Amino acid sequence: MAVPFLWKAAVLVEKHRTGLLAVSCAGLFGANLSYHVFPEQTFKLWYQCWTKGQPAELSEKLRSLFHDVLEDVGVKSMNCYQPFAAFGFHPVSAGIPWLPAGSLVGIPANFTSTVEDRQEIVNRVVVINGREVDWESKQGLALKEALLFSPEAQKFAIAREIVYLQSNSPVVYAALPPACLAGTCLSGVAVKQLLGLYSGPRVLRGIYNITIAAVGLVGYFLAYDAVSHALDYRMDRKAATISKDYARGGVEFYNKILSRNRTLRTLLGKQGEKIYAPSGNLFPRYWFRLKHAPYTSRRDLIVNILRVPQA
């Protein structure tokens, strides 16, 4: 029963492939862009930091810092970018500035503390591997030092997210899956016609279709990683070239991330050795994928920018 149904479905797809491809591509694009179109109702709910059962509020100090970064980046419509308190250790962002909902930038709680003011970070409970971190232990002191950023490093990290939104990167990411789907389908049909497989055995066409789907999926993963790496480097370069202070902050930011990851590698034991490399970079989750550019190469990029006299 299942085989005849599959053949009928395949015939139906062949008959209406152009319409189905258009609908699928539009659906993929809309699904990937949905939380950027409505960031307040989706993205913020996911990344919002909570304290005592209530959404955490950003301090006036961080709001002022965020406003300064907007001015340094050269944002004209500042009302299109709104900050909020996010959990985690890195700034996050979503939204499209020129849409009515605007954009959101999540600033992590550890940004409340700085190298000069360390009190806030030690007042927080951090549990790793089921145990609370002792801030006075050797590893606790190393982790605390890695979580404290200077104002310049904080500005660089926030500027990266603003540049990400300003350059319409969410649209680029959303357009990638439908582009790969359309490319795979169209090239698959063209090759099938070229080889004359439409008049060949059904089994052969089925094997060919499965092969094309697998190749297209691998191609999407590789294209996604390549685009992600290119955007990572682009955001770092734009943020670091705002001024020398931002560039120095970028070097500090990535050095602290690498130091934090090395500390987490020790604290997490065997699990940490699977996630973090001895250098502090992340190990690929899958053997052929590396979603983001290595932290060491991103830091080295900024170091090279600092060496240029006119940087």
Side-chain angles (χ1 to χ4, degrees):
M1 291 293 293
V3 175
F5 173 78
L6 290 176
W7 285 125
K8 288 181 180 179
V11 171
L12 184 65
V13 170
E14 288 285 349
K15 185 178 180 180
H16 303 284
R17 63 189 176 201
T18 303
L20 289 172
L21 178 61
V23 171
S24 299
C25 289
L28 272 175
F29 182 76
N32 282 283
L33 205 62
S34 59
Y35 79 93
H36 291 288
V37 177
F38 307 104
E40 191 80 28
Q41 294 77 19
T42 54
F43 177 81
K44 187 175 181 180
L45 294 179
W46 182 260
Y47 282 98
Q48 175 71 59
C49 178
W50 292 75
T51 177
K52 299 179 180 179
Q54 297 294 326
E57 294 291 336
L58 278 181
S59 64
E60 286 302 319
K61 179 182 176 182
L62 285 181
R63 289 186 179 276
S64 176
L65 183 75
F66 182 77
H67 187 270
D68 291 343
V69 174
L70 289 177
E71 289 185 344
D72 293 338
V73 174
V75 173
K76 296 179 180 179
S77 302
M78 295 190 180
N79 293 333
C80 297
Y81 300 83
Q82 297 297 327
F84 71 96
F87 74 86
F89 300 126
H90 295 175
V92 291
S93 60
I96 301 172
W98 42 268
L99 288 181
S103 301
L104 296 176
V105 177
I107 302 177
N110 60 299
F111 274 37
T112 306
S113 299
T114 62
V115 176
E116 293 79 15
D117 179 17
R118 301 163 176 256
Q119 191 60 35
E120 184 69 24
I121 192 72
V122 297
N123 290 336
R124 296 184 179 274
V125 176
V126 176
V127 178
I128 297 177
N129 220 14
R131 292 184 298 178
E132 182 180 336
V133 174
D134 180 8
W135 293 116
E136 298 305 319
S137 65
K138 180 181 178 181
Q139 296 300 329
L141 289 171
L143 182 61
K144 178 172 64 175
E145 191 65 30
L147 294 177
L148 296 172
F149 298 100
S150 69
E152 290 76 19
Q154 293 178 348
K155 284 185 174 182
F156 170 84
I158 295 172
R160 285 190 74 259
E161 300 304 319
I162 295 173
V163 169
Y164 168 82
L165 298 170
Q166 202 175 34
S167 58
N168 293 317
S169 297
V171 179
V172 175
Y173 277 120
L176 192 59
C180 289
L181 175 63
T184 301
C185 292
L186 294 176
S187 60
V189 169
V191 173
K192 191 185 294 185
Q193 290 176 341
L194 184 65
L195 297 177
L197 293 179
Y198 281 105
S199 58
R202 289 183 176 181
V203 175
L204 185 61
R205 292 205 305 271
I207 295 173
Y208 171 83
N209 290 335
I210 293 173
T211 304
I212 286 295
V215 170
L217 187 62
V218 173
Y220 162 70
F221 289 147
L222 296 177
Y224 181 96
D225 293 352
V227 170
S228 178
H229 287 205
L231 290 177
D232 282 341
Y233 290 131
R234 181 184 180 187
M235 289 185 292
D236 288 336
R237 187 179 296 106
K238 283 195 170 185
T241 52
I242 293 174
S243 71
K244 282 193 174 182
D245 286 339
Y246 274 83
R248 295 190 189 98
V251 174
E252 178 195 333
F253 180 71
Y254 285 121
N255 277 332
K256 290 289 183 78
I257 288 178
L258 292 167
S259 175
R260 183 203 67 194
N261 290 351
R262 288 193 295 267
T263 304
L264 291 176
R265 174 184 167 90
T266 302
L267 290 172
L268 290 171
K270 291 184 178 180
Q271 183 184 357
E273 293 176 0
K274 295 178 181 179
I275 300 173
Y276 305 106
S279 63
N281 285 317
L282 295 173
F283 279 130
R285 183 172 294 183
Y286 307 104
W287 66 270
F288 66 95
R289 294 203 65 186
L290 186 61
K291 287 188 176 183
H292 294 282
Y295 293 125
T296 48
S297 63
R298 292 157 79 170
R299 178 199 59 195
D300 294 342
L301 169 70
I302 303 173
V303 170
N304 291 332
I305 290 174
L306 273 173
R307 288 174 180 169
V308 178
Q310 57 269 45

